[in-house]
Amino acid sequence: MSIDSVPTIHEDLFGFKHNEPDKIDIHGERALAFWFYLMSDAMIFAILFANFGILVHGTAGGPDMSEILNMPRVALQTALLLLSSLTFGLVTISALSKNRNVAIIWLCVTFALGAGFLILEIGEFSEMVAEGATPQVSGFLSAFYVLVGTHGLHMVFGLGMLTVMLIQFLTKGLTLPVLSRLYRVGLFWHFLDLIWVAIFSYVYLPGALN
Amino acid sequence: MTSDPEHETTPMYLIKPDLKTYLDGFFYAVVLTVIPFALVWLSDMKKTPGVIVITAFAVIQIGIHMRYFLHYSTERAPVSATISIALAIIAGVVFVGGALWIMGDLNARMMP
């Protein structure tokens, strides 16, 4: 983004407007490619939701959703994840305000909230296994573990990404490539919250209905 | 969002979002989460109307997340991102709707 040269704005194949063919274009294209990745990831979840919808009544004498549902825990998980979306927003804002230390604090808060979510989920799974509700009991439980577990696995990768961002904030500072990476990690993190909305709406809440 | 040329040439990752958008999004998301949780928790709704109401809130909340957290807007995102969303929605509806339809139909035809 040089100020001296008069930019000649042209639109590329992907609809991005450029004025100079430098690294900025690459990061714009990366953001778009990451968006495509998120949409294909949404397809994975769509298939897992379809799988869950088919198998939800296939309990084979095992527990059904109403028996494994713990509403306070689901509410707490939802609250943690939603709060972490807000705090990631604060990371983005403080990083783009060139306020590195504040960004690091909010990044740690986001990590703690995400880790809290995962601890609750691990607690849920281990409780279920202890009560004998393992994946091999019924088709319903297999579908449940795969769907919720895939989201949990994404959360683990998300926490890994947050750690990488923390290290790069500390070692590289708020450079253009780091900010570009932060943008994509942000997309990923907010996307996980979006998937969780679908999970609590279709997996957990219907279990409490008559 | 605005039409000044500086803004149009700035890559998305360098556009600083407003704190207000996150706070607004958070507020809407909390409202749209609390209502279905309260409905399920406090009332004794039947399965079908309950799932319809929950679906309505979920769809609205996903829209809110896209707009306020992922900052998706047709002005800001390239047109191919919009196409990919449309494709994802169509494919998702076909996957979920089609699978439930066919498997439900097969289930209804099963011998008791």
Side-chain angles (χ1 to χ4, degrees), chain A residues 1 15 38 48 53 55 67 85 97 100 116 118 121 125 127 133 139 142 153 165 171-172 180 185 195 204 206:
Chain A
M1 288 184 300
L38 288 183
L48 293 176
L55 292 171
E67 286 166 71
S85 253
S97 309
R100 189 176 73 158
L118 263 179
E121 188 158 299
F125 283 2
E127 232 172 72
S142 308
L153 200 60
M165 288 321 300
T171 56
K172 297 186 177 184
S180 159
V185 173
I195 294 293
Y204 289 104

Side-chain angles (χ1 to χ4, degrees), chain A residues 14 27 43 97 183 202 206 208, chain B residues 13 16 40 47 55 65 78 80 88:
Chain A
F14 300 105
H27 292 304
M43 293 297 90
S97 309
Y183 176 78
Y202 290 106
Chain B
Y13 68 92
K16 188 164 80 174
V40 165
K47 203 107 195 174
T55 303
H65 279 243
S80 33

